[in-house]
Amino acid sequence: MELVLTSWNGVLAGMSIALLPANIMLALLGVTVGTVIGVLPGIGPVSGIALLIPFTYGLDPVSGIILLAGIYYGALYGGSTTAILAGIPGESSSVMTAIDGHEMAKKGRAGIALGVSAFGSFIAGTLGVILLTLFAPVIARYALMLSAPEFFLLMCLSFTLVATLTGDSFLKGLIATVLGLMISMVGIDIFSGESRFTLGFPGLLDGIPLVTVAIAVFAVADVIENVEKGPSSGSRVSKVPPLRQMIPTRADWKAAVAPIVRATGLGFFVGALPGAGATIASFLSYGLEKAISKEPQRFGHGAIEGVAAAESANNAAAAGALTPLLTLGIPGSGSTAVLLGAFMLFGIRPGPLLFEQHPEIAWGLIASMYVGNVMLLVLNLPLIGLFMQFLRLPYAPMSLLILLLSILGVYAGTSTSFGLILLVFFGAVGWLLRKADFPMPPLLLSLVLGPLTEKSFRQAMAMSDEGVLIFIRQPISALLTACLIAVLLYNAYRFVRLRLPKAMS
Amino acid sequence: MHVSLDRALGFVLLGISGVVFVGSWKLASGPAGYGGALPMGLSILLGLLSLLLLAGTFVRPKRDRGEPALQHAAQPLAPSTPRTGAALGLITMLVLYTALFDFLGYVPTTAIFGVVYLRFFHGVTWRVSALTTIVMVGVAYLLFDRLLDVTLPLGSVFSVF
């Protein structure tokens, strides 16, 4: 009861910040830009957030974070529009929406698909934020009991989970993680003041900025990759239905309500797991609905339950993913890793103390998500026609704009052309790694968590009289070590079971 | 499909692990205490993982590539024949852009880059390329230099006049 009251008071205090006219405008701007980013298949939320970080330099922290978070969950709404009307997932999290949503559009039920998607997103998004409101202070309170060894193990566990769940190869995910950690160690050692791996470049003494790497491996590498793929063949966009056709009927609601509720719970939980995120949440939720359906054969041919489940899950996952970020300081995906980078640029370290030291930011952000979800529902349905016009933008000028924003965004942060050298270098490296199917979210996650990982490791070693045995001495450490070993063994088993027989054949 | 790329990357990563191992050796034995421990551990891990990646390229059957990764950003539209030369050309252009950024200044460097990029990488006509570039360079200049107070370089070459 005490915690519910704490959450309630927190949300009220947060509302007094989120409802300031300037913050309402920023949330509106964030969700609108996010929706456009979601609609456009050539740019993802990670690139979008990273590209817009430079525009928040003059803002106060809570306003900047409200803007960037708006882009994050706005992109999840926007992705469904393109998925339903054009059959192209605007984001990877909309892949499952495209399957049944586009089939519904082809059968003349685009309006209902868009309506169920928007209402499902709104309900799941709002319920997800309510769960975040209730759970975040509890988790933060328990997280205060964690010390350096537990934090180190928690981060190692996050790295292995992210490497397992993103991409199709654990080996490549793990290599990307190690590379990210190595990049994070370039610069001055905070303990000794000694410079490490700077190769004699003074520009590397301050380390390699996360924003530069994020923009490089997502935005710049995207453009290089698309230039390599050459001109596209275009797509057929279904006609945008009028608003009145987007209101689901009683029968549609009856079919969609249960999937929305189930997807909210599953999506929130999966979203909170490191590495799982919105994409896997929508896959699992869609799979669950298909598995329990009395008519599974309808899935893939325009089942409204499929659209409701996929879209609700990915929006609930967005709130779920913010839970470990705000309470433990550990992001679970590429988008939340860049958000963490933005927090740090404002001089704020999310984690167990965030709710005590910066309640205005934690609760302001949570309250803004309630407001943002309402904005998305009100804006999205009437303005779908307008948002779809962005799909008609030719890729050539759009890609030039992305390159310009990348270059100037990095220059704004570093004020030297050395930052641009890093941008081009990591853009080329990112392109090569992506060409070889290396997933980028693990690299970004380990880059942002690298300094904290090393700090926790060295503090743990300084605390210990028995070396690495400190990682199994306490019950929580021992449990985390066991989980870590289990994930590694699972991957080893998967390798032996799936890869070796094929290699031998 | 990517066997040769995997193999090349495997060797490069192995080299990186060697360089980091040597670099962290001095740190490990220096006054920093554990300063080199984590980098050294990571270099050993990267070395082992690179060897596994390399081994995979020698024993993996060509038909086995699994499903495409989910986390890659969605691509604009249906792909056509890959043009690796064009991608390398764009990287070269970006390197040249970076080299000339301070020397020529933001406006001329970006204008040249924009026109060449639109004309040669996307086949846009000269006129449209020029117009699009002028508008974008101008808007970006106003946005960053005037609105956000980011001082963009005017070009050291022009400072002698």
Side-chain angles (χ1 to χ4, degrees):
Chain A
M1 192 63 199
E2 183 206 335
L3 278 167
V4 174
L5 270 178
T6 309
S7 299
W8 175 246
N9 291 334
V11 172
L12 285 183
M15 281 293 176
S16 68
I17 295 164
L19 291 176
L20 289 173
N23 288 339
I24 290 179
M25 291 309 291
L26 286 169
L28 184 63
L29 180 66
V31 296
T32 309
V33 172
T35 306
V36 174
I37 285 170
V39 166
L40 294 172
I43 180 168
V46 186
S47 316
I49 298 169
L51 284 173
L52 288 173
I53 284 179
F55 292 92
T56 64
Y57 288 156
L59 299 173
D60 65 277
V62 69
S63 303
I65 296 296
I66 285 175
L67 172 71
L68 297 175
I71 297 170
Y72 170 52
Y73 54 85
L76 293 173
Y77 265 70
S80 63
T81 308
T82 327
I84 292 166
L85 292 179
I88 311 163
E91 305 305 333
S92 56
S93 57
S94 303
V95 169
M96 302 314 282
T97 312
I99 297 174
D100 281 291
H102 195 51
E103 283 300 315
M104 284 178 75
K106 283 201 269 187
K107 290 175 182 168
R109 282 171 50 83
I112 296 299
L114 289 167
V116 163
S117 156
F119 284 110
S121 297
F122 170 72
I123 295 167
T126 308
L127 289 176
V129 183
I130 292 173
L131 291 174
L132 170 68
T133 309
L134 292 172
F135 284 124
V138 185
I139 297 172
R141 188 173 287 190
Y142 281 106
L144 282 171
M145 296 175 201
L146 301 179
S147 57
E150 285 92 9
F151 259 107
F152 175 72
L153 288 167
L154 204 55
M155 278 178 276
C156 289
L157 186 60
S158 303
F159 295 147
T160 48
L161 281 173
V162 170
T164 305
L165 295 171
T166 53
D168 63 326
S169 160
F170 176 66
L171 177 64
K172 289 181 175 177
L174 213 52
I175 290 176
T177 304
V178 174
L179 284 177
L181 283 170
M182 282 180 164
I183 296 168
S184 78
M185 282 167 196
V186 173
I188 291 184
D189 177 6
I190 48 161
F191 282 82
S192 65
E194 205 176 356
S195 71
R196 297 189 297 181
F197 313 113
T198 55
L199 306 171
F201 291 108
L204 290 177
L205 285 174
D206 286 335
I208 296 172
L210 168 81
V211 176
T212 304
V213 180
I215 291 177
V217 300
F218 281 94
V220 175
D222 252 357
V223 174
I224 299 173
E225 201 172 270
N226 289 325
V227 160
E228 185 188 20
K229 285 182 175 169
S232 52
S233 57
S235 65
R236 184 170 300 210
V237 180
S238 299
K239 200 179 157 206
V240 177
L243 185 60
R244 64 178 181 282
Q245 285 180 16
M246 294 181 199
I247 309 298
T249 62
R250 185 178 291 225
D252 294 327
W253 273 117
K254 200 176 166 191
V257 163
I260 289 173
V261 174
R262 280 190 288 269
T264 302
L266 185 66
F268 182 84
F269 175 73
V270 173
L273 294 176
T279 306
I280 292 180
S282 66
F283 270 73
L284 289 178
S285 186
Y286 184 91
L288 173 72
E289 290 307 320
K290 192 176 174 181
I292 62 173
S293 171
K294 288 175 185 161
E295 301 166 286
Q297 69 279 7
R298 286 197 304 112
F299 281 73
H301 301 284
I304 195 168
E305 297 91 333
V307 178
E311 270 309 298
S312 308
N314 72 33
N315 281 275
L322 285 177
T323 312
L325 174 70
L326 295 179
T327 57
L328 301 169
I330 297 178
S333 63
S335 309
T336 44
V338 181
L339 271 181
L340 175 59
F343 269 103
M344 286 153 76
L345 280 174
F346 286 119
I348 294 152
R349 172 92 231 173
L353 292 172
L354 182 73
F355 284 84
E356 285 181 18
Q357 292 176 344
H358 299 285
E360 75 288 356
I361 291 181
W363 291 113
L365 169 63
I366 290 172
S368 80
M369 290 179 75
Y370 286 103
V371 179
N373 270 308
V374 177
M375 281 177 182
L376 280 167
L377 182 68
V378 174
L379 274 181
N380 259 269
L381 288 180
L383 296 183
I384 278 177
L386 180 68
F387 286 126
M388 286 309 285
Q389 295 301 318
F390 284 96
L391 266 189
R392 299 185 202 284
L393 274 177
Y395 185 68
M398 201 171 78
S399 61
L400 179 60
L401 183 66
I402 292 171
L403 285 176
L404 266 184
L405 287 178
S406 303
I407 289 163
L408 295 180
V410 166
Y411 192 79
T414 58
S415 296
T416 63
S417 51
F418 187 73
L420 300 187
I421 295 171
L422 291 179
L423 177 77
V424 176
F425 174 75
F426 282 108
V429 170
W431 166 67
L432 264 179
L433 290 176
R434 288 165 57 148
K435 204 170 152 66
D437 290 338
F438 281 82
M440 289 298 103
L443 185 142
L444 217 50
L445 187 76
S446 55
L447 173 58
V448 71
L449 288 180
L452 188 61
T453 308
E454 188 178 17
K455 189 177 154 198
S456 303
F457 173 74
R458 289 165 76 171
Q459 279 176 342
M461 297 311 284
M463 283 161 63
S464 171
D465 296 328
E466 316 163 281
V468 291
L469 286 180
I470 193 167
F471 296 117
I472 50 169
R473 279 284 178 238
Q474 296 298 319
I476 300 177
S477 319
L479 180 69
L480 289 169
T481 305
C483 291
L484 185 61
I485 292 171
V487 175
L488 291 172
L489 285 177
Y490 164 74
N491 280 292
Y493 167 78
R494 212 168 56 153
F495 177 79
V496 172
R497 183 80 192 268
L498 299 176
R499 291 278 168 146
L500 277 189
K502 285 182 185 172
M504 298 300 176
S505 65
Chain B
M1 200 164 80
H2 294 306
V3 170
S4 53
L5 185 56
D6 276 358
R7 195 170 294 168
L9 283 172
F11 282 117
V12 171
L13 291 169
L14 198 59
I16 291 173
S17 70
V19 170
V20 175
F21 183 82
V22 172
S24 54
W25 189 264
K26 275 191 255 168
L27 296 169
S29 55
Y34 286 102
L38 205 56
M40 188 180 285
L42 288 173
S43 67
I44 294 169
L45 182 59
L46 184 64
L48 291 172
L49 295 173
S50 311
L51 286 175
L52 271 176
L53 184 68
L54 279 171
T57 64
F58 287 105
V59 297
R60 190 188 321 185
K62 283 179 185 169
R63 61 187 169 82
D64 172 35
R65 288 297 306 165
E67 289 177 10
L70 295 173
Q71 293 297 319
H72 286 188
Q75 301 311 320
L77 297 166
S80 54
T81 319
R83 306 180 303 168
T84 307
L88 292 173
L90 177 56
I91 293 169
T92 311
M93 273 214 7
L94 285 167
V95 170
L96 284 173
Y97 177 90
T98 307
L100 293 172
F101 191 70
D102 279 332
F103 182 66
L104 282 181
Y106 161 72
V107 174
T109 320
T110 313
I112 296 167
F113 173 81
V115 172
V116 173
Y117 173 73
L118 291 176
R119 180 71 190 102
F120 293 107
F121 290 90
H122 293 281
V124 179
T125 61
W126 282 109
R127 183 185 292 193
V128 176
S129 300
L131 277 174
T132 311
T133 305
I134 288 168
V135 171
M136 282 196 189
V137 168
V139 169
Y141 179 79
L142 289 175
L143 192 64
F144 279 85
D145 200 279
R146 302 290 152 172
L147 205 68
L148 296 174
D149 273 339
V150 178
T151 311
L152 295 170
L154 295 171
S156 56
V157 67
F158 300 112
S159 61
V160 295
F161 298 110

